[in-house]
Amino acid sequence: DMRGVDELGPPREWNEEMQGIRALPARDVNEKILRVRSEYKLMTEFSECCKTVCVAISEGMISPMPINPVEGEEQLLYV
């Protein structure tokens, strides 16, 4: 079960995509609508991806990678 991942490859650059959307022109109503729709679509996809990964971690399908692996289980921090 790939948890919604269609293919393996480089990770998606969410920040770069958002910056690209925010750099779109918004001179008139149509451009503003396109920009807002694009931003909404990206945020929706990002949220769904986060939910999928959280569920996969909680079900043990993905091993969490703590940034402080030497700490006790209850003190682990994840990025």
Side-chain angles (χ1 to χ4, degrees):
D1 182 14
M2 293 292 289
R3 297 286 178 182
V5 177
D6 294 329
E7 61 184 63
L8 296 176
R12 193 163 175 187
E13 296 294 335
W14 299 102
N15 187 48
E16 287 182 22
E17 288 185 48
M18 182 59 77
Q19 295 305 318
I21 290 169
R22 290 185 176 162
L24 292 172
R27 294 177 294 252
D28 60 28
V29 173
N30 289 331
E31 287 180 347
K32 288 178 184 178
I33 290 171
L34 176 63
R35 187 170 152 180
V36 169
R37 283 183 178 168
S38 298
E39 188 171 333
Y40 177 79
K41 181 179 182 292
L42 180 65
M43 291 306 297
T44 301
E45 290 171 358
F46 178 75
S47 296
E48 287 301 314
C49 181
C50 290
K51 287 183 220 175
T52 300
V53 170
C54 287
V55 169
I57 289 172
S58 70
E59 292 177 350
M61 301 297 290
I62 298 175
S63 298
M65 297 174 57
I67 59 173
N68 58 337
V70 296
E71 298 293 330
E73 183 70 28
E74 64 280 347
Q75 296 177 340
L76 294 178
L77 301 172
Y78 301 94
V79 178

